[in-house]
Amino acid sequence: MDMQTSPRGRSLVEGAKPFARRPGLLARLLAPGVEKMLSRIDEALVTGTIHGTLPNGTPRILGGRAPGFECVFELRSYRALVRIATNGSVGLYQGWEAGEWWSPDPVPLFAMFMQHAERMGNTARAKGPFRRALKLAHLFNRNTHSGAQRNIAAHYDLGNDFYAAWLDPTMSYSSALAVAGDPLEAAQKRKWAALYERMGDAEKVLEIGCGWGALANYLQARGSHVTAISLSDEQLAWARSHHASAIDFRKQDYRDTSGQYDAIVSVEMVEALGREYWPTFMDSVARNLKPGGRAAIQYISIRDELFEEYAKSADFIQAYVFPGGLLIRTSEFRKLALERGLAWIHQTDFGPCYAETLREWRLNFDRAVDEGRLPAGFDPQFCDLWRYYLMYCEGGFRGGGIDVHQVTLVKEGEK
């Protein structure tokens, strides 16, 4: 890696600065409560074990009551716990980045925290003024027309050469289907086939959030006439140069779409919207579908009972990786569809497939780093952030607090 090159990916790293909080004096004031925090975590763990080591070298076991995730956690500074207690998952990452805690494999730890999120309550969530500060910082990333363009660019315009170094050859950046035992590319194509089946024999298709265009190309090859939209200049440039010229790739906001389509497909785009724009998205689907038309939606959710606390603040993903994003609350999303005459049918859930997809991406990313195949400009700080992001998400799916789904929406009326 050429370290003389101006660092790439700084928009994500620098964009997280408003979310940063230094423990400072507060760490000294709260330090006596650290033991209480460890005890609350211990009491919350019904299954699994954390094999911990305190800063003075003393071993500390948390949980261990029943089989479950097995975690190794080395606490190198009590400041890490203060960060977690005040700044939640944002503080967890900041402690990792500062070297205040370490694990040879954080994935089981993330999974265990997610699995026991309800029992832990506010133990590992941002609180008080810290929560309000995180929420305020997140509000600056709202997905207005201009905000959505900025947020999408921050993540997806890191460069096609960057994503090509660790995604599968289809450049698919969403969960594959039935991953175990097959190359990732084959599992991604299985996902496309499942979406195609939901859409039926659609002549005219709109794809909302087309990524690098592989699904649009698949649908075009199956006989559909496809209009595919994105806000990412990098993705659109790749899609236009690598896929069928008959596909109408457009730089367009979903709110500005108009037309009548037999089917709509959208894969893991709605998590970028934010809750206030969910109704607008459903309006767009209802407006653009012909009567009897079908929409195939793949989306990521957080458990209903965790949603309200999650939505009150901003987590690590929103602060560092996907500015403006918010996971979906299925019950609320479904209600919005039904209110617009969109029947919600054939929902399938396949969270474990996403955990495996993320694991494959992380292994690919690590190989790319080790072999020097990442493009120049991505410094060690960014690479560590990206690896942490992939592990954090994998743990969330393994812990069952987040899930991925496909669902078919059918507009009222006859074709």
Side-chain angles (χ1 to χ4, degrees), residues 162-239:
F162 168 72
Y163 286 101
W166 54 275
L167 291 177
D168 74 273
T170 70
M171 294 286 278
S172 294
Y173 191 29
S174 55
S175 181
L177 187 60
V179 179
D182 252 349
L184 197 52
E185 181 177 4
Q188 292 289 4
K189 291 178 178 179
R190 246 192 310 277
K191 183 258 305 287
W192 302 344
L195 291 165
Y196 175 80
E197 288 300 316
R198 290 177 176 277
M199 296 159 59
D201 189 17
E203 179 180 351
K204 192 177 178 183
V205 176
L206 171 66
E207 183 178 9
I208 301 177
C210 66
W212 285 275
L215 175 58
N217 197 65
Y218 172 85
L219 296 174
Q220 188 81 22
R222 298 294 298 260
S224 299
H225 299 289
V226 183
T227 298
I229 66 172
S230 172
L231 291 178
S232 168
D233 293 320
E234 289 273 338
Q235 288 183 326
L236 286 169
W238 174 283

Side-chain angles (χ1 to χ4, degrees), residues 36 51 57 72 85 101 112 142 158 175 233 244 256 263 287 320 338:
K36 290 183 179 179
H51 303 273
V72 175
W101 70 273
M112 181 181 286
R142 289 174 62 244
L158 289 169
S175 181
D233 293 320
D256 300 328
R287 180 179 69 248
Y320 281 88
L338 296 175

